[in-house]
Structures are given as C-alpha cells and as structure tokens.
Amino acid sequence: MTDRLSRVFAALADPTRRDMVARLTEADSTVNDLAAPYDVSLQAISKHLKVLEDAGLVSRSREAQRRPVHLEAEVFDLMTKWIERHRQRAEERFSRLDDVVAQMNEDGTTAPATRTPQEGTAS
Amino acid sequence: MTDRLSRVFAALADPTRRDMVARLTEADSTVNDLAAPYDVSLQAISKHLKVLEDAGLVSRSREAQRRPVHLEAEVFDLMTKWIERHRQRAEERFSRLDDVVAQMNEDGTTAPATRTPQEGTAS
DNA sequence: CTGCTTGTCAACCATTGGGTTGAACAAGGG
DNA sequence: CCCTTGTTCAACCCAATGGTTGACAAGCAG
C-alpha cells in the first residue's frame, strides 16, 4: 500500500470527497445524509467514505443501524507540515537569490532580471 | 477537466512527484538531473513533470536544449488556504461542542441549541 | 415473523494513471 | 552539415479508480 501522506492527498484530490469533508467540519453525519446532495448512488458514497477512512480523515462508529461519520481533523496537520516545510525551504532559497541580486547591484554588475512573476496560464 | 485544487492534490499524491517538488525547493533543475535518482525511464519523469505543470506547481522555460524546471511555490497557498479554512471550522465546532457540554453541566438543561451556527457553505 | 431503513459487499464496466519501449524533434557543437 | 544531447510524443500494458446494479446483513417497528 502507499504511504499515509499519499493517501491523504489522493483522498482530497476529489471534489466530492472534499465537499464531504467540508460538510463534516460542521457536524458528524450519517452516510445517507452525506449522500443526499450528490447525484450518485449510495454505494458510490460508501466507497468515497472508505477512501477517506483509509486515509485516516474520518472515522465511523456504530449507532443502531446508522454509521455516524466523524472528521479526524488532526490529519490536516500531516499535510500542513509537509507543505509548510517545503514552502519555507523554497522561500529561504528565494531570499538567498534576492541577496545575490542585491550583491550584484551593489557591485555595479549588469542588473539581471529579478525573479520573474510569470504566472501560469489561467485554467 | 478537473478543477485546479484537485489537480494540485492529485499531483502531490505521488511520492516520486513529492520528492521532485522537495528537490526543486533547493534549486531549479533539468529533466535529466531530476530523473537521475529514480529507477524509472526518463519518459516517466517527463510525464510526472507534465502532471506537476498542469497543476501549476512547476513551470518550464527553455535554455539551449535544456528545459529547466522551476517550482511555483505560491500554489502551496491554494492548499494551505483550503486546509486551514476547514481545520478552523472543525476547531470552532469542537469548541462550540465543549461549550454545550459545559452549559449542560452548569444548569443541567437538555439540548440548549443556542448559537445556531449556519455558516456559509463552501467546498 | 414481516417488513422498512441504513448501509455494505460483490461483480462488472469504462476511464485514468503510471509504467514501458521506440521513434521523433529541438538546438547547439564538432 | 551531421552528430550528440536533452526532451517529448505515440502506442501500448496493466492496475487502480469511480461509477453502476443486485444481493444481503443488521436493526428497529408493525
């Protein structure tokens, strides 16, 4: 099986699952209630829940015939940590680059283009 | 076509791609150099890069025959924003729950239901 | 017991995803 | 001008994913 972080990212790579997670931040829910807004079968939602559960994003208990779904919000930390760690490294590097540029400007060397903004194509 | 956020999450759901991103935080790189550590064909890496590019996580320019790959770190914000928004909502809810429990313990009432939350919906 | 509600399991199908190999293209450097 | 380097395109394979339908387990309500 793939590692935890991969499963979490993969789980959130689906809009329906992200929406389910979003709704679960408001309240625990049963499978039926969760499924209501979407135009797919209950079984499909059940599968989505399995994905979320395997990723550790939700847990399910038992309550009569119902299986309340509960969000495990701590898992967010796993992603945040990864992202922030790398964002930080990237930013450190940029500031290092800025230093180089500043240095060159001081020396009176030919001013190179500063960091190109160059936004990706709109999608 | 899936939405941007989905593509970003999907792109990072693969360990090889995450590792490439990690290495790109240190320095821009050519496809060949990027591919070196992995035990797959160059074409496979090229595909991975396409995924990262479609997600807006990297951009490629041209430099002689080389195609330097550059990390677009701002995209991290997209994820961070989504994650933090929902983490926060979940936490607010937890503290609200704590309030309810505290309330019940104080005056022994049943189901207070003060403070109807009803936040704006978002995906 | 019967029957409705809630949810899962199993089998199946179409699409996507990650990998391969082989050929092609782009841009210098002899 | 051809050759080498760097990278991508195209066709193909196989496993995984997201969806379907049909059957069935588990509880509560009659």
Side-chain angles (χ1 to χ4, degrees):
Chain A
M1 272 294 173
T2 41
D3 64 296
R4 177 77 175 272
L5 195 48
S6 295
R7 289 197 309 263
V8 175
F9 277 126
L12 293 180
D14 182 291
T16 302
R17 284 193 298 255
R18 262 195 330 273
D19 192 62
M20 292 197 280
V21 166
R23 293 170 55 215
L24 285 168
T25 59
E26 299 289 2
D28 290 6
S29 176
T30 68
V31 179
N32 255 300
D33 288 353
L34 263 183
Y38 314 113
D39 193 23
V40 296
S41 68
L42 197 63
Q43 290 93 322
I45 299 299
S46 194
K47 279 195 188 181
H48 279 309
L49 277 172
K50 191 160 184 340
V51 173
L52 289 173
E53 190 176 26
D54 288 348
L57 275 159
V58 306
S59 62
R60 285 129 119 191
S61 45
R62 159 141 268 155
E63 186 183 281
Q65 324 95 302
R66 254 151 270 119
R67 319 278 331 264
V69 182
H70 173 77
L71 183 67
E72 296 293 340
E74 316 82 56
V75 182
F76 287 159
D77 293 345
L78 204 65
M79 286 185 292
T80 314
K81 256 161 76 182
W82 189 91
I83 296 169
E84 287 309 315
R85 178 154 34 109
H86 291 94
R87 187 226 297 279
Q88 200 178 322
R89 283 210 287 170
E91 273 164 10
E92 273 167 23
R93 181 185 151 220
F94 287 145
S95 58
R96 247 183 283 127
L97 267 187
D98 289 346
D99 286 353
V100 170
V101 172
Q103 186 74 20
M104 291 175 78
N105 286 343
E106 269 176 35
D107 298 348
T109 351
T110 45
T114 25
R115 252 192 292 131
T116 70
Q118 188 64 338
E119 189 60 41
T121 60
S123 53
Chain B
M1 291 276 179
T2 42
D3 64 297
R4 176 77 174 271
L5 195 48
S6 296
R7 290 197 307 264
V8 175
F9 276 124
L12 292 180
D14 182 289
T16 302
R17 282 192 300 254
R18 270 202 315 281
D19 193 61
M20 290 196 281
V21 166
R23 293 171 53 217
L24 285 168
T25 60
E26 299 289 2
D28 291 4
S29 177
T30 69
V31 179
N32 252 303
D33 287 354
L34 264 182
Y38 315 112
D39 194 21
V40 295
S41 67
L42 198 62
Q43 291 93 322
I45 298 299
S46 193
K47 281 195 188 180
H48 279 310
L49 276 173
K50 189 160 184 339
V51 173
L52 290 173
E53 189 176 26
D54 289 349
L57 275 159
V58 306
S59 61
R60 286 130 119 191
S61 45
R62 179 166 278 285
E63 186 182 280
Q65 322 95 304
R66 256 150 270 121
R67 321 270 345 256
V69 181
H70 172 77
L71 183 67
E72 296 293 338
E74 316 82 56
V75 181
F76 286 160
D77 293 344
L78 205 65
M79 284 185 294
T80 314
K81 257 161 74 181
W82 189 91
I83 296 168
E84 286 310 315
R85 178 154 35 111
H86 292 93
R87 187 227 297 280
Q88 200 178 322
R89 285 210 287 172
E91 272 164 11
E92 273 166 24
R93 179 184 152 220
F94 288 144
S95 57
R96 244 183 284 128
L97 268 187
D98 289 348
D99 286 353
V100 170
V101 171
Q103 185 76 15
M104 290 174 75
N105 287 343
E106 265 178 35
D107 52 36
T109 49
T110 48
T114 35
R115 260 185 308 253
T116 347
Q118 207 48 328
E119 302 279 333
T121 56
S123 51

